[in-house]
Amino acid sequence: MALVACSRMYNVGPKVRGLWDGLFAWLSEESGIRLEVIAHAAPAPLSELWARPDLGAAFMCGYPFSQLPADERPVALAAPVSTAPWAGGWPAYASHIVAARHAVFDPADLPSLRWGWTVRDSQSGYHAPRGFLAGLPRPRTPVTTVGPLLNPNGVVDAIATGRIDVGAIDAYAWQLLEMHEPEVLAPLRIIATTPATPIPLLVASRRQPAETVSALRQALLRAHRSAQGQSILASLGLSRFAAPDVAAYDSLPKRAQESDRLLAASW
């Protein structure tokens, strides 16, 4: 029976989804593990995907990963290393704080604008912008927020339609759109980029045999060593997959708690 694979977190458009499908097809052949690609499209909860017993490979955000007890987490396979400067050659990412390209406002106005967020357990779409805002001088008034917008495309749409003034977009999702669907980003501009944190990682169900996990993990970790693997990675803006530092994800809840303390009840 095939295991399921899903790139839902980074399915930013049809062309990009096709590239992920190609990576999973390569991974299936290279590892010898049969994988069936599924969409698990929004608004289906990602938590249901991550809990599937037949999960072979899917992206999982670091924040919900860190929230689970160690013995209940999916098994970490590998983490992508972006070629973008904000990654610094490591399995890290950031969030771009974005606004409409022609919107005019002073940076001091940021706390008083309407902020969009994706889902509450998203590091890039919720906790990163809260951390950014917590570091700004601001009036002691609640922040106006709009959400859940579900994903980066929801943030793009909300800015385009005037529902929000600013929002956060996963910097790797932005990179994929910039590479393959730049027209989506044309109405936007980046006004800031948050500090880097551990990037979402590919995980498998804890129910998979150790041999299966090892085959998938090793195939990903050596992808950059073959011409075919390099080509697939380059098409997705990646230099390689790396062994994730699982302990690094445990810093994310502490960052969120600090934002809570600084923002109090304002967001």
Side-chain angles (χ1 to χ4, degrees), residues 63-184:
Y63 185 81
F65 180 83
S66 71
Q67 293 292 92
L68 292 172
D71 60 352
E72 295 180 15
R73 293 174 178 174
V75 177
L77 295 176
V81 178
S82 169
T83 57
W86 39 256
W90 295 95
Y93 78 144
S95 293
H96 293 317
I97 307 300
V98 301
R101 180 169 296 278
H102 300 298
V104 178
F105 51 81
D106 189 277
D109 296 334
L110 280 172
S112 63
L113 299 179
R114 294 168 299 165
W115 286 71
W117 52 275
T118 55
V119 291
R120 293 189 189 277
D121 65 350
S122 169
Q123 173 61 29
S124 62
Y126 185 78
H127 292 291
R130 289 180 81 246
F132 173 81
L133 189 61
L136 298 178
R138 57 188 175 75
R140 294 182 177 274
T141 56
V143 179
T144 301
T145 64
V146 176
L149 300 174
L150 297 182
N151 52 39
N153 298 87
V155 173
V156 172
D157 291 343
I159 291 176
T161 58
R163 292 179 63 201
I164 62 174
D165 301 305
V166 288
I169 292 181
D170 176 316
Y172 179 50
W174 180 282
Q175 179 187 6
L176 289 170
L177 287 167
E178 195 169 45
M179 290 175 66
H180 300 293
E181 298 191 42
E183 67 280 1
V184 174

Side-chain angles (χ1 to χ4, degrees), residues 214-265:
S214 178
L216 292 168
R217 178 181 291 138
Q218 293 308 314
L220 289 165
L221 296 181
R222 64 174 180 261
H224 63 288
R225 298 178 184 172
S226 71
Q228 183 182 13
Q230 288 176 8
S231 177
I232 293 171
L233 291 170
S235 72
L236 291 163
L238 301 177
S239 62
R240 62 189 173 96
F241 280 98
D245 178 3
V246 174
Y249 294 86
D250 293 334
S251 68
L252 298 179
K254 296 176 184 177
R255 291 171 180 257
Q257 290 166 8
E258 180 64 7
S259 297
D260 290 341
R261 184 184 71 79
L262 294 172
L263 290 174

